[in-house]
Amino acid sequence: MADWVDYDKDGSIKLIRPTKKGLGLAERTWTTVHLEAEEGNLLGGELHGVYVDNSYKGYTGRGYVTGFDMYNDYCSFLGQSAKDEKYRLRIRYRADGGKNDAMVFVNTWLLKNVKFVDTEGEWKVLDCGNVSLRAGNNDIRVIRGWWPNTGLCIDYIELAQIDERGRTVEEAK
């Protein structure tokens, strides 16, 4: 059994056909994992002090997470990996007005402090850089920082597998 899924341009799953050489010697594939914030509680993550909403249009899935009102409010995601692997972490968000700061943790390690800039009513993607995931379960958290957050909404996170040079599939082409 293969431990990855590859998609074509239409979003359909590509079939993996073993060769006489076997899957282990097959051409490299790239994995991108898309985790919806509003599904956190259902998919092994956690919503702490925040809630699911769908008032703003343009989100993906069933909605987004908002209500980062208190210091340490957070949403967490369960990112699973078949082996130790490196990924690029991206967060799709919306922030209306003011300063929105947060901390991004991966397995209790601070990945970075981030500033969610005002998106003027649009959804944007923030590139948080490269992250190492260990084999098995990985806890990824977006935690509100000290500054009051004004309208921060988290739609999803995306983990795009990177190569040994730190490039995603789009960058390696």
Side-chain angles (χ1 to χ4, degrees):
M1 182 168 138
D3 61 354
W4 73 87
V5 177
D6 196 18
Y7 297 91
D8 64 18
K9 291 179 183 177
D10 298 327
S12 299
I13 295 174
K14 288 184 181 178
L15 294 178
I16 300 170
R17 297 205 191 320
T19 66
K20 289 183 180 180
K21 295 178 183 177
L23 283 175
L25 300 175
E27 184 178 321
R28 177 178 171 107
T29 60
W30 298 78
T31 303
T32 298
V33 179
H34 179 96
L35 300 169
E36 291 285 342
E38 71 276 9
E39 303 295 347
N41 287 336
L42 297 173
L43 301 177
E46 182 181 359
L47 303 181
H48 176 78
V50 295
Y51 59 92
V52 175
D53 197 1
N54 61 5
S55 301
Y56 296 127
K57 302 300 175 209
Y59 57 83
T60 61
R62 295 185 308 112
Y64 50 86
V65 171
T66 192
F68 293 86
D69 300 324
M70 302 293 291
Y71 176 71
N72 276 342
D73 283 352
Y74 65 85
C75 63
S76 71
F77 304 82
L78 174 63
Q80 297 178 311
S81 183
K83 60 181 183 173
D84 293 353
E85 196 72 55
K86 293 187 179 190
Y87 292 84
R88 176 83 45 82
L89 174 63
R90 297 180 183 122
I91 302 172
R92 186 168 190 254
Y93 77 100
R94 176 182 169 139
D96 294 332
K99 184 188 245 182
N100 291 283
D101 72 322
M103 299 164 285
V104 178
F105 283 82
V106 177
N107 297 325
T108 71
W109 291 92
L110 176 64
L111 175 65
K112 73 184 313 177
N113 289 301
V114 295
K115 298 278 186 222
F116 291 100
V117 298
D118 187 336
T119 61
E120 300 176 355
E122 301 294 323
W123 293 95
K124 302 230 178 197
V125 175
L126 176 68
D127 189 330
C128 293
N130 298 342
V131 59
S132 295
L133 297 186
R134 62 184 180 222
N137 295 339
N138 295 271
D139 181 55
I140 302 159
R141 289 183 187 217
V142 179
I143 304 175
R144 182 198 147 171
W146 283 105
W147 289 97
N149 286 312
T150 53
L152 177 61
C153 305
I154 304 292
D155 189 18
Y156 64 77
I157 67 166
E158 183 177 87
L159 295 162
Q161 191 176 19
I162 57 174
D163 65 12
E164 61 282 345
R165 294 171 61 190
R167 301 174 305 173
T168 64
V169 64
E170 297 89 10
E171 297 164 341
K173 289 182 181 177

